[in-house]
Amino acid sequence: MVLLENVSKTFRVGRNEVRAIHNINLHVRQGEFLVVRGPSGSGKSTLLLTIGGMMRPTTGRVTVNNQEISAMNELERAQFRAKNIGFVFQMFHLIPYLNVLENVLLASGFERNAESSERARELLKNLGLSHREFHKPAELSAGEKQRTAIARALMNRPSILLADEPTGNLDPENAEEVIRHLHEFQREGGTVIVVTHGHSADQYANQIVFLRGGEIVENPSST
Amino acid sequence: MSTLLLILKEITHREYNFVLSLLAVVTAVAVYVAFFTSAQDSQRETTRLMRDIGYNLRIIPKETDMIKFWETGFSDYTMPEDYVLRFAEKTQDEIQYRHLLATLQQKVTWQGMEVLLTGIAAKEVVPKGVVESSMIPFAVEPGKVYLGYELVQKTGVKNGDMVDLFGKPFQVASCLPETGSDDDIRIYGHLKDIQSILNLDGRINEIQALECLCKEPGDPLDRLRSQLEQVLPEGKVIQLKAISDARREQRFMLERFFARLLPLVLVGCAIWIGALAFLNVRERRFEIGVLRALGYGSFRIAALFLGKAIIIGLIGAAIGFFLGTAFAMSFGPQVFKVTAKSIRPIYSLLTWSLLVAPTFTALSSFIPAVVAVTEDPAVTLREE
């Protein structure tokens, strides 16, 4: 469950203050698939990172799984993220010097035991990456990189998956496959919040919100 | 996956950053080790040369007639033997010296020849805390004498022969080689024996000091005289100025060089390492952001950068020590010819290098590590 109450985030750029998101109220229930759409600079990524506890809102409250993460300190938020939230980014952000398996294992902290290795391999198998286990990111296609990133995000069995333009660098076929994997996660009970320009995820969405100038201007009814 | 493994994988991935950082540490350690090892050799060589040249400071009784002193080479007056201990105790804060030696010498007629009868103390007085190492060419045992070259030629005595010295029998411990100085007409004996022969028990007429230097700046002779006035009012000091100045200048030059070059190298290397660490942090901004997103806290992020710095420090220290030592051992013998054989690695420097270099690299990388930790991952990840 994700609950945002009057959430605003302002950045200081030099002497100026830039309002990234303003007075956002949002409620995403457990197991829902939320699509956040909007033009560049509309505050989509800021909204996602605020939900993920990567940044604190300037005002308002962010509650995830009944815990107010906007009130937590940096260490508490890090621990909370590790247990509850998985991130998928447009640029994949795989660690270039680790192979696919190690990138996935990175999410489990610095631990590498039989259980975590088994979990990572299972995820890679489900995502069709078993044959790429020992390949470095530079040797992967864009679709494979994003699937590796998804495996990494799912490694700790999070209840919420946050995806920032996950299909932005993919061809339609790979984009469809990535969205399908996100949908699978939702079907298994997870909450998915996807920030995107496009419409590829609309078919799975329970809720779609539209951001413009940092504010929600459109909130289509639930499917 | 352990932090160490993560660091090692990153090192092998960004090898140029690692190699350049390592080069900085190796340079700093090698310069230090090479310089220190060479300086030790220089010190040893200088000490040895100084010993050969002789003592640079002579303290004689105050009443000494200097014209006669320079004519005969010794004072007609005497002073108590314990002055040497008083000098050692009272001047250690202001005057630096390596050895003090009490002597008594008189010109006497022996077997129809004018000879210099010289008693030298068997043991030198060294400053507190200094490991004792004899700088006198020989220590005369009681009942034995060393005979100068000309005396040996005239008398025909050999090592082990017995000679009569003013009614007392002495064994010839050694017949000395030719020196081309008044040492060739000298009979060296144990101080106590010579005091007894000359009926001057407990008296000496000279204290010789090796590598005697004033710690304070200014005219060393003036300061020495001023100090001596307070400590030994019955004494007079003569400084062999050329030797003292050369020694003083050499020591100060080494210290100045060491004091100026080393900080320069260290600061340069610290900036070098810090800049490379900073570049490394900039290059890994997204990686830091992702690690943050995965729940990694500040401590773990900082450990990646500081851990890498420590590894660079450890490897750099080991390589730097061996390079610096190899440098000193390769070029040292060409510079310090006399002590060439004695140039050897100072292994304690390896221990110090292994302790100091990682601390140094960790400190140099501290600011970049702080930057990495304080980097707002949200800002980085929003930039994509």
Side-chain angles (χ1 to χ4, degrees), chain A residues 72-146:
Chain A
M72 292 177 183
N73 64 29
E74 188 259 326
L75 182 63
E76 289 168 337
R77 280 184 284 137
Q79 288 169 344
F80 181 84
R81 270 198 305 277
K83 286 180 186 166
N84 297 279
I85 299 171
F87 276 95
V88 179
F89 302 97
Q90 179 181 356
M91 299 301 291
F92 327 122
H93 294 320
L94 300 176
I95 309 298
Y97 50 87
L98 300 180
N99 64 33
V100 167
L101 181 65
E102 289 164 341
N103 262 288
V104 176
L105 282 166
L106 198 64
S108 61
F110 287 138
E111 293 198 13
R112 186 172 189 172
N113 50 43
E115 193 186 336
S116 56
S117 292
E118 193 183 330
R119 164 77 179 155
R121 287 201 165 94
E122 181 192 324
L123 284 165
L124 291 176
K125 186 182 170 192
N126 292 342
L127 288 154
L129 289 167
S130 291
H131 64 299
R132 294 296 204 181
E133 208 171 279
F134 299 108
H135 287 242
K136 293 279 174 66
E139 298 161 354
L140 304 178
S141 70
E144 287 171 329
K145 284 179 187 171
Q146 195 58 298

Coordinates of all heavy atoms in Angstrom, one line a residue, chain A residues 72-146:
Chain A
M72 N 11.2 8.9 8.3 CA 12.4 8.0 8.7 C 13.7 8.8 8.4 O 13.8 9.6 7.5 CB 12.4 6.7 7.9 CG 11.3 5.8 8.2 SD 11.4 4.3 7.1 CE 10.0 3.4 7.6
N73 N 14.8 8.4 9.1 CA 16.1 8.9 8.7 C 16.7 8.1 7.6 O 16.1 7.1 7.1 CB 17.0 9.0 9.9 CG 17.4 7.6 10.5 OD1 17.4 6.6 9.7 ND2 17.6 7.5 11.8
E74 N 17.9 8.6 7.1 CA 18.4 8.0 5.9 C 18.7 6.5 6.0 O 18.4 5.7 5.1 CB 19.8 8.7 5.6 CG 20.4 8.4 4.3 CD 21.5 7.4 4.4 OE1 22.2 7.4 5.4 OE2 21.6 6.5 3.5
L75 N 19.2 6.1 7.2 CA 19.5 4.7 7.4 C 18.2 3.8 7.5 O 18.2 2.7 6.9 CB 20.3 4.5 8.7 CG 20.7 3.1 9.1 CD1 21.7 2.5 8.0 CD2 21.4 3.0 10.4
E76 N 17.2 4.4 8.2 CA 16.0 3.6 8.3 C 15.3 3.5 6.9 O 14.8 2.4 6.6 CB 15.0 4.4 9.2 CG 15.4 4.3 10.7 CD 14.6 5.3 11.5 OE1 14.1 6.3 11.0 OE2 14.6 5.1 12.8
R77 N 15.4 4.5 6.1 CA 14.8 4.5 4.8 C 15.6 3.5 3.9 O 15.0 2.7 3.1 CB 14.8 5.8 4.1 CG 13.7 6.7 4.6 CD 13.6 8.0 3.8 NE 14.6 8.9 4.3 CZ 15.4 9.7 3.6 NH1 15.3 9.7 2.3 NH2 16.3 10.5 4.1
A78 N 16.9 3.4 4.1 CA 17.7 2.5 3.3 C 17.3 1.0 3.7 O 17.2 0.2 2.8 CB 19.2 2.7 3.6
Q79 N 17.2 0.8 5.0 CA 16.8 -0.6 5.4 C 15.4 -0.9 4.9 O 15.1 -2.0 4.5 CB 16.9 -0.6 6.9 CG 18.3 -0.6 7.4 CD 18.4 -0.4 8.9 OE1 17.5 0.0 9.6 NE2 19.6 -0.7 9.5
F80 N 14.5 0.1 5.0 CA 13.1 -0.1 4.5 C 13.1 -0.5 3.0 O 12.4 -1.4 2.6 CB 12.3 1.1 4.8 CG 10.9 1.0 4.4 CD1 10.0 0.4 5.3 CD2 10.4 1.4 3.2 CE1 8.6 0.2 4.9 CE2 9.1 1.3 2.8 CZ 8.2 0.7 3.7
R81 N 13.9 0.3 2.2 CA 13.9 0.1 0.8 C 14.4 -1.3 0.5 O 13.9 -2.0 -0.4 CB 14.9 1.1 0.1 CG 14.3 2.3 -0.3 CD 15.2 3.0 -1.3 NE 16.5 3.3 -0.8 CZ 16.9 4.3 -0.1 NH1 16.0 5.2 0.3 NH2 18.1 4.5 0.3
A82 N 15.5 -1.7 1.2 CA 16.1 -3.0 0.9 C 15.1 -4.2 1.1 O 15.1 -5.2 0.4 CB 17.3 -3.3 1.9
K83 N 14.2 -4.0 2.1 CA 13.2 -5.0 2.4 C 11.9 -5.0 1.6 O 11.3 -6.0 1.3 CB 12.8 -5.0 3.9 CG 13.9 -5.5 4.8 CD 13.5 -5.4 6.2 CE 14.6 -5.8 7.1 NZ 14.3 -5.4 8.5
N84 N 11.5 -3.7 1.2 CA 10.1 -3.6 0.7 C 10.0 -3.1 -0.7 O 9.0 -3.2 -1.3 CB 9.4 -2.5 1.6 CG 9.2 -3.0 3.0 OD1 8.3 -3.8 3.3 ND2 10.1 -2.6 3.9
I85 N 11.1 -2.5 -1.2 CA 10.9 -1.8 -2.5 C 12.0 -2.2 -3.5 O 13.2 -2.4 -3.2 CB 11.0 -0.2 -2.3 CG1 9.9 0.2 -1.4 CG2 11.0 0.5 -3.7 CD1 10.0 1.7 -1.0
G86 N 11.5 -2.5 -4.8 CA 12.5 -2.8 -5.8 C 12.4 -1.6 -6.9 O 11.4 -1.1 -7.1
F87 N 13.6 -1.3 -7.4 CA 13.7 -0.2 -8.4 C 14.1 -0.7 -9.7 O 15.0 -1.6 -9.8 CB 14.7 0.9 -8.0 CG 14.2 1.9 -7.0 CD1 14.4 1.7 -5.6 CD2 13.6 3.0 -7.4 CE1 14.0 2.7 -4.7 CE2 13.1 4.0 -6.5 CZ 13.3 3.8 -5.2
V88 N 13.5 -0.2 -10.8 CA 13.9 -0.5 -12.1 C 14.1 0.9 -12.8 O 13.1 1.7 -12.8 CB 12.9 -1.3 -12.9 CG1 13.4 -1.6 -14.3 CG2 12.7 -2.7 -12.2
F89 N 15.2 1.1 -13.5 CA 15.5 2.4 -14.1 C 15.5 2.3 -15.6 O 15.8 1.2 -16.2 CB 16.8 3.0 -13.6 CG 16.9 3.1 -12.1 CD1 17.5 2.1 -11.3 CD2 16.3 4.2 -11.5 CE1 17.5 2.3 -9.9 CE2 16.4 4.4 -10.1 CZ 17.0 3.4 -9.3
Q90 N 15.3 3.5 -16.2 CA 15.4 3.5 -17.7 C 16.7 3.1 -18.2 O 16.9 2.3 -19.2 CB 15.0 4.9 -18.2 CG 15.1 5.0 -19.7 CD 14.8 6.4 -20.2 OE1 14.5 7.3 -19.4 NE2 14.8 6.7 -21.5
M91 N 17.8 3.6 -17.5 CA 19.2 3.3 -18.0 C 19.7 2.0 -17.4 O 21.0 1.8 -17.4 CB 20.1 4.5 -17.7 CG 19.7 5.8 -18.3 SD 19.7 5.7 -20.1 CE 21.4 5.5 -20.5
F92 N 18.9 1.2 -16.8 CA 19.3 -0.1 -16.2 C 20.2 0.0 -15.0 O 19.9 -0.6 -14.0 CB 19.9 -1.0 -17.3 CG 19.4 -0.9 -18.7 CD1 20.3 -0.5 -19.7 CD2 18.1 -1.0 -19.0 CE1 19.9 -0.4 -21.0 CE2 17.6 -0.8 -20.3 CZ 18.6 -0.5 -21.3
H93 N 21.2 0.8 -15.1 CA 22.1 1.0 -14.0 C 22.6 -0.3 -13.4 O 22.6 -0.5 -12.2 CB 21.5 1.9 -12.9 CG 21.3 3.3 -13.4 ND1 22.1 4.0 -14.1 CD2 20.2 4.1 -13.1 CE1 21.6 5.2 -14.4 NE2 20.5 5.3 -13.8
L94 N 23.1 -1.1 -14.3 CA 23.8 -2.4 -13.8 C 25.2 -2.0 -13.5 O 25.8 -1.1 -14.1 CB 23.7 -3.5 -14.9 CG 22.3 -3.9 -15.3 CD1 22.4 -4.9 -16.5 CD2 21.5 -4.5 -14.2
I95 N 25.8 -2.7 -12.6 CA 27.2 -2.4 -12.2 C 28.1 -3.1 -13.3 O 28.0 -4.3 -13.4 CB 27.5 -3.0 -10.8 CG1 26.5 -2.5 -9.8 CG2 28.9 -2.6 -10.4 CD1 26.4 -1.0 -9.5
P96 N 28.8 -2.3 -14.0 CA 29.5 -2.8 -15.2 C 30.6 -3.9 -14.9 O 30.9 -4.7 -15.8 CB 30.2 -1.5 -15.8 CG 30.2 -0.5 -14.7 CD 29.1 -0.8 -13.8
Y97 N 31.1 -3.9 -13.7 CA 32.2 -4.8 -13.4 C 31.7 -6.1 -12.8 O 32.5 -7.0 -12.4 CB 33.3 -4.2 -12.6 CG 32.8 -3.5 -11.3 CD1 32.6 -4.1 -10.1 CD2 32.6 -2.1 -11.4 CE1 32.2 -3.5 -9.0 CE2 32.1 -1.4 -10.2 CZ 31.9 -2.1 -9.1 OH 31.5 -1.5 -7.9
L98 N 30.4 -6.2 -12.6 CA 29.8 -7.5 -12.1 C 29.1 -8.2 -13.2 O 28.5 -7.5 -14.1 CB 28.8 -7.1 -10.9 CG 29.4 -6.4 -9.7 CD1 28.3 -6.2 -8.7 CD2 30.6 -7.2 -9.1
N99 N 29.1 -9.5 -13.1 CA 28.3 -10.2 -14.1 C 26.8 -10.2 -13.8 O 26.4 -9.7 -12.7 CB 28.9 -11.7 -14.3 CG 28.7 -12.5 -13.1 OD1 27.8 -12.4 -12.3 ND2 29.7 -13.4 -12.9
V100 N 26.0 -10.8 -14.6 CA 24.6 -10.8 -14.4 C 24.2 -11.3 -13.1 O 23.4 -10.7 -12.3 CB 23.9 -11.6 -15.6 CG1 22.4 -11.8 -15.3 CG2 24.0 -10.8 -16.9
L101 N 24.7 -12.5 -12.7 CA 24.3 -13.1 -11.5 C 24.7 -12.2 -10.3 O 24.0 -12.0 -9.3 CB 25.0 -14.5 -11.3 CG 24.7 -15.3 -10.1 CD1 23.3 -15.7 -10.0 CD2 25.6 -16.5 -10.0
E102 N 25.9 -11.7 -10.4 CA 26.4 -10.8 -9.3 C 25.6 -9.5 -9.2 O 25.4 -9.0 -8.1 CB 27.9 -10.5 -9.5 CG 28.8 -11.6 -9.3 CD 30.2 -11.4 -9.9 OE1 30.4 -10.5 -10.7 OE2 31.1 -12.2 -9.5
N103 N 25.2 -9.0 -10.3 CA 24.3 -7.8 -10.3 C 23.0 -8.1 -9.5 O 22.5 -7.3 -8.8 CB 24.0 -7.3 -11.7 CG 25.0 -6.2 -12.1 OD1 24.8 -5.1 -11.6 ND2 25.9 -6.5 -13.0
V104 N 22.5 -9.3 -9.8 CA 21.2 -9.6 -9.1 C 21.5 -9.9 -7.6 O 20.7 -9.4 -6.8 CB 20.6 -10.9 -9.8 CG1 19.4 -11.3 -9.0 CG2 20.3 -10.6 -11.2
L105 N 22.6 -10.5 -7.3 CA 22.9 -10.8 -5.9 C 23.2 -9.5 -5.1 O 23.1 -9.5 -3.9 CB 24.1 -11.7 -5.8 CG 23.8 -13.2 -6.1 CD1 25.1 -14.0 -6.4 CD2 23.1 -13.8 -4.9
L106 N 23.6 -8.5 -5.8 CA 24.0 -7.2 -5.2 C 22.8 -6.7 -4.3 O 23.0 -6.1 -3.3 CB 24.3 -6.2 -6.2 CG 25.1 -4.9 -5.8 CD1 26.4 -5.3 -5.3 CD2 25.2 -4.0 -7.0
A107 N 21.6 -7.1 -4.7 CA 20.4 -6.6 -4.0 C 20.3 -7.3 -2.6 O 19.6 -6.7 -1.7 CB 19.2 -6.9 -4.8
S108 N 20.9 -8.4 -2.5 CA 20.8 -9.1 -1.2 C 21.9 -8.7 -0.3 O 22.3 -9.4 0.6 CB 20.9 -10.6 -1.4 OG 22.1 -11.0 -2.0
G109 N 22.4 -7.5 -0.5 CA 23.5 -7.0 0.4 C 24.8 -7.6 -0.1 O 24.9 -7.9 -1.2
F110 N 25.7 -7.9 0.8 CA 26.9 -8.5 0.4 C 26.9 -10.0 0.7 O 28.0 -10.6 0.8 CB 28.1 -7.8 1.2 CG 28.3 -6.4 0.7 CD1 28.6 -5.4 1.6 CD2 28.4 -6.1 -0.6 CE1 28.9 -4.1 1.2 CE2 28.6 -4.8 -1.1 CZ 28.9 -3.8 -0.2
E111 N 25.8 -10.5 0.9 CA 25.7 -11.9 1.2 C 25.6 -12.8 0.0 O 24.9 -12.5 -0.9 CB 24.5 -12.2 2.1 CG 24.7 -11.6 3.5 CD 23.7 -12.2 4.5 OE1 23.2 -13.2 4.2 OE2 23.6 -11.6 5.6
R112 N 26.4 -13.8 0.0 CA 26.3 -14.8 -1.1 C 26.2 -16.2 -0.5 O 27.3 -16.8 -0.3 CB 27.4 -14.6 -2.1 CG 27.3 -15.5 -3.3 CD 28.3 -15.2 -4.4 NE 28.0 -15.8 -5.6 CZ 28.7 -15.6 -6.7 NH1 29.7 -14.8 -6.8 NH2 28.4 -16.3 -7.8
N113 N 25.0 -16.6 -0.3 CA 24.9 -18.0 0.2 C 24.1 -18.8 -0.8 O 23.6 -18.3 -1.8 CB 24.3 -18.0 1.6 CG 23.0 -17.2 1.6 OD1 22.2 -17.2 0.7 ND2 22.8 -16.3 2.7
A114 N 23.9 -20.1 -0.4 CA 23.2 -21.0 -1.3 C 21.8 -20.5 -1.6 O 21.3 -20.6 -2.8 CB 23.2 -22.4 -0.7
E115 N 21.2 -20.0 -0.6 CA 19.8 -19.6 -0.7 C 19.6 -18.4 -1.7 O 18.8 -18.4 -2.6 CB 19.2 -19.2 0.7 CG 17.7 -19.1 0.7 CD 17.2 -18.6 2.0 OE1 17.9 -18.8 3.0 OE2 16.1 -18.0 2.1
S116 N 20.5 -17.4 -1.5 CA 20.4 -16.2 -2.3 C 20.8 -16.6 -3.7 O 20.2 -16.1 -4.7 CB 21.2 -15.1 -1.7 OG 22.5 -15.4 -1.5
S117 N 21.8 -17.4 -3.9 CA 22.3 -17.8 -5.2 C 21.1 -18.5 -6.0 O 20.9 -18.3 -7.2 CB 23.5 -18.7 -5.2 OG 24.6 -18.0 -4.7
E118 N 20.5 -19.4 -5.2 CA 19.4 -20.2 -5.8 C 18.2 -19.2 -6.3 O 17.7 -19.4 -7.3 CB 18.8 -21.2 -4.8 CG 17.9 -22.2 -5.4 CD 17.4 -23.2 -4.3 OE1 18.1 -23.4 -3.3 OE2 16.3 -23.7 -4.5
R119 N 17.9 -18.3 -5.4 CA 16.9 -17.3 -5.7 C 17.2 -16.5 -7.0 O 16.4 -16.3 -7.8 CB 16.7 -16.4 -4.5 CG 16.0 -15.1 -4.7 CD 14.5 -15.3 -4.8 NE 13.8 -14.0 -5.0 CZ 12.6 -13.9 -5.5 NH1 11.9 -15.0 -5.9 NH2 12.0 -12.8 -5.7
A120 N 18.5 -16.0 -7.0 CA 19.0 -15.2 -8.1 C 18.9 -16.1 -9.4 O 18.4 -15.6 -10.5 CB 20.4 -14.8 -7.9
R121 N 19.3 -17.3 -9.4 CA 19.3 -18.2 -10.6 C 17.8 -18.4 -11.0 O 17.5 -18.5 -12.2 CB 20.0 -19.5 -10.3 CG 21.5 -19.3 -10.2 CD 22.3 -20.6 -10.4 NE 23.6 -20.3 -10.7 CZ 24.6 -20.3 -9.8 NH1 24.3 -20.5 -8.5 NH2 25.9 -20.0 -10.1
E122 N 16.9 -18.6 -10.0 CA 15.5 -18.8 -10.3 C 14.9 -17.6 -11.1 O 14.2 -17.8 -12.1 CB 14.8 -19.1 -9.0 CG 13.3 -19.4 -9.2 CD 12.6 -19.3 -7.8 OE1 13.2 -19.7 -6.8 OE2 11.4 -18.8 -7.8
L123 N 15.3 -16.4 -10.6 CA 14.8 -15.2 -11.2 C 15.3 -15.1 -12.6 O 14.6 -14.8 -13.6 CB 15.2 -14.0 -10.4 CG 14.4 -13.7 -9.1 CD1 15.1 -12.7 -8.2 CD2 13.0 -13.2 -9.5
L124 N 16.6 -15.4 -12.8 CA 17.2 -15.3 -14.1 C 16.6 -16.3 -15.1 O 16.4 -16.0 -16.3 CB 18.7 -15.5 -14.0 CG 19.5 -14.4 -13.3 CD1 21.0 -14.8 -13.2 CD2 19.4 -13.1 -14.1
K125 N 16.2 -17.5 -14.5 CA 15.6 -18.5 -15.4 C 14.2 -18.0 -15.8 O 13.9 -18.1 -17.0 CB 15.5 -19.8 -14.6 CG 15.0 -20.9 -15.4 CD 14.8 -22.2 -14.5 CE 14.1 -23.3 -15.2 NZ 13.7 -24.3 -14.3
N126 N 13.5 -17.4 -14.9 CA 12.1 -16.9 -15.2 C 12.1 -15.8 -16.2 O 11.2 -15.6 -17.0 CB 11.4 -16.4 -13.9 CG 11.1 -17.6 -13.0 OD1 11.1 -18.8 -13.4 ND2 10.8 -17.3 -11.7
L127 N 13.2 -15.0 -16.1 CA 13.4 -13.9 -17.1 C 14.1 -14.3 -18.3 O 14.5 -13.4 -19.1 CB 14.0 -12.7 -16.3 CG 13.2 -12.1 -15.3 CD1 14.0 -11.4 -14.2 CD2 12.2 -11.1 -15.9
G128 N 14.4 -15.5 -18.5 CA 15.1 -16.0 -19.7 C 16.5 -15.6 -19.8 O 17.0 -15.3 -20.9
L129 N 17.2 -15.5 -18.7 CA 18.6 -15.0 -18.7 C 19.6 -16.1 -18.2 O 20.8 -15.7 -17.9 CB 18.7 -13.8 -17.8 CG 18.1 -12.5 -18.4 CD1 18.0 -11.4 -17.4 CD2 18.9 -12.0 -19.6
S130 N 19.2 -17.3 -18.0 CA 20.1 -18.3 -17.5 C 21.4 -18.4 -18.3 O 22.4 -18.6 -17.7 CB 19.4 -19.7 -17.5 OG 18.3 -19.7 -16.5
H131 N 21.3 -18.3 -19.6 CA 22.4 -18.5 -20.4 C 23.4 -17.2 -20.3 O 24.5 -17.2 -20.8 CB 22.0 -18.7 -21.8 CG 21.3 -17.5 -22.5 ND1 20.1 -17.1 -22.0 CD2 21.6 -16.8 -23.5 CE1 19.7 -16.1 -22.7 NE2 20.6 -15.8 -23.6
R132 N 22.9 -16.2 -19.7 CA 23.7 -15.0 -19.6 C 24.3 -14.8 -18.1 O 24.9 -13.7 -17.9 CB 22.8 -13.7 -19.9 CG 22.4 -13.7 -21.3 CD 23.6 -13.6 -22.3 NE 23.2 -13.0 -23.5 CZ 24.1 -12.8 -24.5 NH1 25.3 -13.1 -24.3 NH2 23.7 -12.2 -25.6
E133 N 24.1 -15.7 -17.3 CA 24.5 -15.6 -15.9 C 25.9 -15.0 -15.7 O 26.1 -14.2 -14.8 CB 24.5 -17.1 -15.3 CG 24.2 -17.1 -13.8 CD 24.0 -18.6 -13.4 OE1 22.9 -19.1 -13.6 OE2 25.0 -19.1 -12.9
F134 N 26.9 -15.4 -16.4 CA 28.2 -15.0 -16.2 C 28.7 -13.9 -17.2 O 29.9 -13.7 -17.3 CB 29.2 -16.2 -16.2 CG 28.8 -17.2 -15.1 CD1 28.3 -18.4 -15.4 CD2 29.0 -16.8 -13.7 CE1 27.9 -19.3 -14.4 CE2 28.7 -17.7 -12.7 CZ 28.1 -18.9 -13.0
H135 N 27.7 -13.3 -17.9 CA 28.1 -12.3 -18.8 C 28.1 -10.9 -18.1 O 27.3 -10.7 -17.2 CB 27.1 -12.3 -20.0 CG 27.3 -13.4 -20.9 ND1 27.7 -13.3 -22.2 CD2 27.2 -14.7 -20.7 CE1 27.8 -14.4 -22.8 NE2 27.5 -15.4 -21.9
K136 N 28.9 -10.0 -18.6 CA 29.0 -8.7 -18.1 C 27.9 -7.9 -18.8 O 27.5 -8.2 -19.9 CB 30.4 -8.1 -18.3 CG 31.5 -8.7 -17.5 CD 31.6 -8.2 -16.1 CE 32.6 -8.9 -15.3 NZ 34.0 -8.7 -15.7
P137 N 27.4 -6.8 -18.1 CA 26.4 -6.0 -18.8 C 26.7 -5.5 -20.2 O 25.8 -5.4 -21.0 CB 26.2 -4.8 -17.8 CG 26.6 -5.3 -16.5 CD 27.7 -6.3 -16.8
A138 N 28.0 -5.2 -20.4 CA 28.4 -4.7 -21.7 C 28.1 -5.8 -22.8 O 28.1 -5.4 -24.0 CB 29.9 -4.4 -21.7
E139 N 28.0 -7.0 -22.4 CA 27.8 -8.1 -23.4 C 26.3 -8.4 -23.6 O 26.0 -9.4 -24.3 CB 28.5 -9.4 -22.9 CG 30.0 -9.2 -22.8 CD 30.6 -10.2 -21.9 OE1 29.9 -11.1 -21.3 OE2 31.9 -10.2 -21.8
L140 N 25.4 -7.6 -23.0 CA 24.0 -7.9 -23.1 C 23.3 -7.0 -24.0 O 23.8 -5.8 -24.2 CB 23.3 -7.8 -21.7 CG 23.9 -8.6 -20.5 CD1 23.2 -8.3 -19.2 CD2 23.8 -10.1 -20.8
S141 N 22.2 -7.4 -24.5 CA 21.3 -6.5 -25.3 C 20.5 -5.6 -24.3 O 20.5 -5.9 -23.1 CB 20.3 -7.3 -26.1 OG 19.4 -7.9 -25.3
A142 N 19.9 -4.6 -24.8 CA 19.2 -3.6 -24.0 C 18.1 -4.4 -23.2 O 17.8 -4.2 -22.0 CB 18.6 -2.5 -24.8
G143 N 17.4 -5.3 -23.9 CA 16.3 -6.0 -23.3 C 16.8 -6.9 -22.2 O 16.2 -7.0 -21.1
E144 N 17.9 -7.5 -22.4 CA 18.5 -8.4 -21.4 C 19.0 -7.6 -20.2 O 18.9 -8.0 -19.1 CB 19.7 -9.2 -22.0 CG 19.3 -10.3 -23.0 CD 20.4 -10.9 -23.7 OE1 21.4 -10.2 -24.0 OE2 20.3 -12.1 -24.1
K145 N 19.5 -6.4 -20.5 CA 20.0 -5.6 -19.4 C 18.8 -5.2 -18.5 O 18.8 -5.3 -17.3 CB 20.6 -4.3 -19.9 CG 22.0 -4.4 -20.5 CD 22.5 -3.1 -21.0 CE 23.8 -3.3 -21.7 NZ 24.3 -2.1 -22.4
Q146 N 17.7 -4.9 -19.2 CA 16.5 -4.4 -18.3 C 15.9 -5.6 -17.6 O 15.4 -5.5 -16.5 CB 15.4 -3.8 -19.2 CG 14.4 -3.0 -18.5 CD 15.0 -1.9 -17.6 OE1 15.7 -2.1 -16.7 NE2 14.6 -0.6 -17.9

